[in-house]
Amino acid sequence: MSTAYVVVTVIAAAMAAVSAGTFIFHAPAIVRSVTAYGVPEAWLPWLGAAKAAGAVGLLVGLAVPAIGVLAGVGLVLYFAGAVVTVVRARSYAHVPMPLLYAAPVIASLVLRANA
């Protein structure tokens, strides 16, 4: 296991965890954005829980690689769904945000595959 893999994975997990917290605790800016995309506010805790589970899974993956890979794939699919949601809402300026969160997860998966 390389140092780069560990660092990138911890960063990816931290970013997913912070993002999860904004959903779970209904940060006003998030509520405004997500409801503007057509996502019901009642979904926020569930979406936050999915991100939190992904963050935990990435960290557990440092010890149990299969869990980390599954968590990473799950987060990539989550953020891909976020991109689709933003595009469907025609909020094109917001497309980079889910990509920003997906980038370290993808980097973690690539580093894991090359380890």
Side-chain angles (χ1 to χ4, degrees):
M1 181 176 346
S2 73
T3 303
Y5 167 68
V6 172
V7 170
V8 169
T9 300
V10 170
I11 289 169
M15 288 176 67
V18 168
S19 181
T22 64
F23 274 62
I24 292 168
F25 297 111
H26 294 257
I30 297 302
V31 172
R32 278 191 304 276
S33 295
V34 173
T35 54
Y37 304 150
V39 177
E41 188 174 347
W43 290 14
L44 290 179
W46 298 105
L47 294 171
K51 285 192 231 184
V56 170
L58 286 175
L59 295 176
V60 170
L62 295 172
V64 183
I67 298 222
V69 170
L70 291 172
V73 168
L75 282 170
V76 168
L77 291 173
Y78 177 98
F79 292 122
V83 169
V84 169
T85 300
V86 170
V87 168
R88 288 186 62 195
R90 298 177 197 248
S91 294
Y92 303 114
H94 295 172
V95 169
M97 191 54 70
L99 297 176
L100 176 70
Y101 284 97
V105 178
I106 294 167
S108 172
L109 289 170
V110 169
L111 289 168
R112 168 43 90 195
N114 291 327

